[in-house]
Amino acid sequence: MPVYVFQPEGGGDGSAVLVVHGGPEWQHGRIWAPLVAGLVADGHTVLVPNVRGSAGYGKRWYSLDDRELRLDSVRDLAALHASLPTIGVDQSRVALWGGSYGGYMVLAGLAFQPELWAAGVDIVGIASLVTFLENTSAYRRVVREREYGYLATDREFLELASPLSRVDAIEAPLFVIHGANDPRVPLSEAEQIVAALKKRKVPCELLVYGDEGHGLAKRVNKLDAYPKAFAFLREHLGRA
């Protein structure tokens, strides 16, 4: 699995954040990423993987997460976690961070691999593949069903692969950011995972921005949300 690794000078203090891209048909490249730089400056080792399903590595890799193969991409996170001691990372102090499909990966990691992750930051992520497909804009449903599965024929697997279906397994604290006007991943995806976790007394915080859509576009909102998310990671990765 292709992975970019960024570490503070001196190697950091053992904490790490895995930043998972959206898409899922996207890829991280060798570009300046202020978010990654900020996490590194905060003392974390940052790993940026191109899990199966990412673009740029040929048709086979691109299709290895399609429909019934969805959870194979989540297993890539566990494989990466297993390798962390080789770069000086404490496996008990690792968080997941992702937006959109990357947010789904954050929630899926916490739900399907609860013993691995110390915290998660989910930005406009999918909690249930079923309710996402039911409630997203019609133009998105047409495109996304080809990737995730069809409500009419694949509903059982869509439910199986949904983090919300395994919410009782989640123990790690979660920080959620969402735009109230998101036309792709409706706000209800954030609201339902947060409600389920709060019912179980799992530490969880939801920030909703009334003037945002799919992600944070406005500088004022970024300056409000990201420092809070960084403070959340410092607290739960032992850097408070």
Side-chain angles (χ1 to χ4, degrees):
M1 172 178 39
V3 183
Y4 295 99
V5 179
F6 305 90
Q7 289 188 298
E9 187 174 356
D13 73 340
S15 63
V17 181
L18 273 62
V19 177
V20 189
H21 68 67
E25 314 96 331
W26 196 62
Q27 65 168 303
H28 283 292
R30 295 181 181 275
I31 61 173
W32 167 250
L35 169 65
V36 171
L39 289 168
V40 173
D42 226 24
H44 309 295
T45 292
V46 179
L47 297 98
V48 188
N50 283 316
V51 297
R52 67 190 79 190
S54 302
Y57 301 94
K59 290 183 178 180
R60 182 174 179 274
W61 191 255
Y62 183 80
S63 62
L64 281 178
D65 68 338
D66 289 352
R67 295 171 68 177
E68 69 277 3
L69 302 178
R70 178 62 43 204
L71 294 178
D72 287 347
S73 63
V74 182
R75 295 185 184 98
D76 286 342
L77 301 179
L80 187 53
H81 185 277
S83 73
L84 293 177
T86 65
I87 56 171
V89 169
D90 179 348
Q91 289 176 301
S92 69
R93 299 173 58 215
V94 186
L96 295 170
W97 178 303
S100 192
Y101 176 73
Y104 163 81
M105 290 287 278
V106 169
L107 297 177
L110 299 187
F112 289 93
Q113 303 153 356
E115 72 283 359
L116 300 185
W117 312 107
V121 177
D122 158 31
I123 303 172
V124 298
I126 300 167
S128 167
L129 293 170
V130 173
T131 57
F132 160 68
L133 290 171
E134 288 176 336
N135 298 322
T136 190
S137 300
Y139 80 96
R140 293 298 296 174
R141 185 181 306 112
V142 171
V143 176
R144 294 295 85 188
E145 281 193 313
R146 291 196 293 267
E147 170 74 27
Y148 298 128
Y150 293 87
L151 285 169
T153 58
D154 302 309
R155 193 180 191 96
E156 183 177 354
F157 177 74
L158 290 169
E159 290 179 347
L160 175 69
S162 294
L164 190 64
S165 298
R166 289 180 56 89
V167 71
D168 287 348
I170 297 178
E171 299 294 342
L174 180 66
F175 193 93
V176 183
I177 300 169
H178 217 104
N181 305 311
D182 193 335
R184 297 189 179 191
V185 179
L187 175 60
S188 55
E189 291 300 301
E191 291 174 332
Q192 63 185 343
I193 195 72
V194 168
L197 290 176
K198 286 188 174 181
K199 184 177 180 180
R200 295 182 49 244
K201 310 299 183 184
V202 175
C204 189
E205 183 173 352
L206 172 61
L207 297 183
V208 178
Y209 293 91
D211 55 352
E212 293 284 9
H214 190 60
L216 298 182
K218 298 185 177 182
R219 184 171 182 267
V220 63
N221 294 333
K222 293 178 181 179
L223 291 176
D224 181 68
Y226 291 145
K228 292 176 180 177
F230 277 39
F232 167 85
L233 290 179
R234 285 195 298 273
E235 177 185 356
H236 294 290
L237 298 184
R239 294 188 55 81

